[in-house]
């Protein structure tokens, strides 16, 4: 620090020593005003001077003064680092929150240190930042509670390491909201998608009980209600497949001429024309296309299985749709499990489910 800066700090300290609380607050505001208006053009040495002065002046200030200071400094692209660190670690969460959530100038080491302390409220704030590095997200998914982990997973500005993705899938095993959030991310590695899909499928299988006989009709109907509600809940959500008027017209023409059959759908899947295949499934099931898309992109495979079996389409066609859904050929173990699910599900139960889905979709659209 320069000699001039030291003299300035000494002068401020001398005046503050005898100043009233109101006078101290007024001086802090004036110095902060000057810092905010000039921070982007100040030299490192002058910014350091402001840092020392503001840190000293803010010491022992009351809550409202520290909160005001935090809110103002949190907006700066370039700001004094020491006071940012102090405010981010303030014992009162409301003071720390603006810095944790919004400051672009705070050092990542400070955020990591605070995250490692494991306070859930502060982890939630860090998880909501415009960008979250892999280093930070690793700490959150390791130390955070369900809310902070869900928040960082739902943050499109968050990036995850291999460890982070694997830990998220582990955390999702008992957290269906997290499972749903992860299913909407576009940056999941293929192996993570596979694990997440299998995990969600197993949970749905447990819910259904895989006993679809009349003796369990009440439980089956309740499970069907849950599956259908999940599909139609976000009817207006953005889908990965864009609606294609031309594809719809082609499929509709085939349907009206009586030429739409399973062979057509298999051909479209083989040609990579998944939109055509789903429009075909839409016609055969008489469900809205939005419901078909939601089923295709759902984190579980049961909704798609119900639709395929209700037609019914062949087991091999179902396997091909599964491969298109997850983006790669299912493992042998997954194929064995899906074959078992297909064979256990009766056409009558599948058709009842599809009728329920259609009724729910119509009710929502009304």
């Amino acid at each position: 620090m320069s000699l001039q800066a030291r003299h300035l700090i000494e002068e401020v300290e001398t005046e503050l020593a005898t100043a009233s609380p109101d006078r101290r607050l007024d001086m802090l505001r004036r110095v902060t005003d000057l810092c905010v208006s000039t921070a982007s053009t100040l030299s490192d040495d002058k910014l350091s001077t402001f840092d020392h002065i503001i840190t000293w002046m803010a010491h022992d200030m009351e809550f409202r003064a520290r909160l005001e200071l935090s809110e103002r400094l949190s907006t700066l692209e370039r700001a004094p680092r020491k006071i940012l660190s102090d405010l981010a670690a303030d014992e009162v969460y409301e003071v720390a929150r603006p810095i944790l959530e919004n400051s672009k100038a705070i050092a990542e080491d400070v955020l990591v240190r605070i995250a490692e302390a494991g306070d859930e409220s502060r982890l939630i704030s860090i998880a909501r930042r415009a960008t979250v590095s892999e280093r930070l997200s690793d700490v959150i998914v390791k130390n955070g509670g369900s809310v902070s982990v869900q928040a960082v997973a739902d943050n499109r500005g968050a990036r995850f390491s291999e460890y982070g993705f694997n830990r998220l899938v582990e955390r999702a095993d008992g957290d269906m909201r997290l499972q749903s959030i992860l299913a909407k991310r576009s940056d999941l590695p293929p192996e993570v998608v596979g694990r997440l899909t299998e995990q969600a499928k197993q949970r749905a299988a447990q819910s259904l009980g895989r006993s679809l006989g009349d003796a369990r009709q009440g439980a089956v109907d309740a499970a069907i209600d849950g599956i259908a509600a999940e599909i139609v809940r976000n009817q207006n959500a953005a889908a990965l497949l864009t609606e294609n008027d031309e594809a719809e017209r082609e499929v509709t023409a085939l349907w009206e001429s009586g030429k739409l059959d399973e062979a057509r759908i298999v051909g479209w899947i083989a040609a990579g024309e998944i939109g055509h295949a789903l429009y075909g499934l839409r016609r055969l099931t008489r469900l809205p296309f939005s419901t078909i898309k939601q089923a295709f992109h759902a984190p579980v495979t049961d909704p798609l299985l119900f639709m395929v079996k209700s037609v019914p389409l062949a087991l091999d066609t179902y396997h091909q749709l599964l491969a298109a859904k997850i983006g790669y050929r299912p493992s042998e173990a997954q194929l064995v499990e899906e074959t078992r699910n297909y064979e256990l599900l009766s056409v009558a139960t599948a058709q009842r489910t599809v009728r329920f889905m259609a009724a729910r979709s119509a009710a929502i659209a009304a």
Side-chain angles (χ1 to χ4, degrees):
M1 186 188 305
S2 68
L3 182 61
Q4 181 181 9
R6 289 197 187 94
H7 287 324
L8 178 57
I9 292 172
E10 289 173 0
E11 290 176 11
V12 172
E13 290 176 348
T14 298
E15 183 170 353
L16 284 175
T18 57
S20 67
D22 287 344
R23 173 60 178 160
R24 286 169 60 90
L25 179 57
D26 179 65
M27 290 180 66
L28 176 60
R29 284 173 173 162
R30 289 167 59 193
V31 173
T32 304
D33 286 343
L34 184 58
C35 179
V36 169
S37 64
T38 62
S40 62
T41 60
L42 291 174
S43 66
D44 289 343
D45 189 62
K46 289 183 178 179
L47 190 63
S48 176
T49 299
F50 270 111
D51 203 358
H52 283 282
I53 293 174
I54 294 174
T55 299
W56 193 86
M57 293 176 72
H59 183 65
D60 291 334
M61 281 281 189
E62 61 178 9
F63 162 76
R64 67 186 180 96
R66 288 181 286 118
L67 176 58
E68 180 182 319
L69 180 62
S70 178
E71 290 174 341
R72 298 201 64 193
L73 294 182
S74 69
T75 64
L76 298 181
E77 296 278 347
R78 186 166 179 260
R81 291 285 186 99
K82 176 63 168 64
I83 186 60
L84 290 181
S85 177
D86 285 358
L87 292 170
D90 197 282
E91 62 182 11
V92 179
Y93 165 68
E94 287 76 7
V95 172
R97 185 187 59 77
I99 303 297
L100 295 176
E101 289 188 8
N102 302 315
S103 177
K104 296 179 180 179
I106 190 169
E108 184 172 78
D109 285 347
V110 174
L111 294 174
V112 169
R113 184 171 65 250
I114 292 172
E116 286 177 338
D119 180 85
E120 180 69 354
S121 295
R122 294 170 200 256
L123 284 168
I124 293 170
S125 287
I126 295 172
R128 290 173 176 167
R129 291 174 63 82
T131 59
V132 180
S133 69
E134 291 183 2
R135 182 185 177 199
L136 265 177
S137 65
D138 277 355
V139 178
I140 295 172
V141 300
K142 178 182 178 182
N143 296 341
S146 60
V147 177
S148 61
V149 172
Q150 289 169 6
V152 75
D154 204 23
N155 184 346
R156 292 301 178 266
R159 296 294 172 262
F160 297 92
S161 66
E162 182 180 355
Y163 164 81
F165 275 128
N166 288 328
R167 183 67 176 131
L168 281 172
V169 175
E170 292 174 6
R171 298 285 300 258
D173 188 38
D175 187 337
M176 291 201 66
R177 172 166 167 71
L178 179 57
Q179 208 173 86
S180 178
I181 289 170
L182 288 176
K184 297 174 184 176
R185 290 196 67 96
S186 61
D187 57 348
L188 296 177
E191 61 274 16
V192 172
V193 174
R195 288 180 59 197
L196 183 64
T197 303
E198 178 64 18
Q199 180 187 86
K201 184 195 69 59
Q202 290 175 356
R203 286 179 59 82
Q206 292 171 1
S207 176
L208 285 170
R210 293 308 171 202
S211 179
L212 301 174
D214 292 339
R216 296 285 304 279
Q217 195 60 57
V220 170
D221 286 342
I224 289 171
D225 185 282
I227 292 172
E230 179 65 23
I231 294 172
V232 300
R233 183 178 300 156
N234 297 314
Q235 287 285 301
N236 296 320
L240 298 181
L241 284 171
T242 304
E243 294 190 28
N244 185 311
D245 292 339
E246 182 178 353
E248 183 177 20
R249 283 194 297 269
E250 291 176 7
V251 172
T252 299
L254 290 170
W255 167 254
E256 292 176 345
S257 65
K259 297 179 180 179
L260 178 62
D261 55 17
E262 184 168 4
R264 295 275 188 180
I265 291 179
V266 171
W268 284 324
I269 298 172
E273 297 177 337
I274 305 305
H276 282 72
L278 295 187
Y279 274 114
L281 189 58
R282 178 248 172 174
R283 283 296 181 182
L284 294 174
T285 60
R286 301 180 186 273
L287 286 169
F289 187 60
S290 56
T291 302
I292 298 292
K293 288 191 299 182
Q294 289 291 333
F296 188 73
H297 295 304
V300 294
T301 58
D302 295 82
L304 186 61
L305 171 59
F306 277 104
M307 293 176 185
V308 167
K309 195 66 181 278
S310 72
V311 174
L313 300 180
L315 174 61
D316 187 60
T317 304
Y318 176 52
H319 285 173
Q320 292 182 54
L321 277 169
L322 283 178
K325 171 182 171 64
I326 65 178
Y328 55 91
R329 175 178 169 77
S331 66
E332 289 303 317
Q334 186 174 3
L335 287 175
V336 168
E337 178 65 15
E338 293 297 343
T339 297
R340 175 175 175 271
N341 296 339
Y342 178 93
E343 292 173 347
L344 282 173
L345 178 62
S346 70
V347 174
T349 299
Q351 289 174 342
R352 184 173 66 252
T353 305
V354 168
R355 287 195 298 271
F356 179 85
M357 292 177 182
R360 287 291 298 273
S361 296
I364 290 175

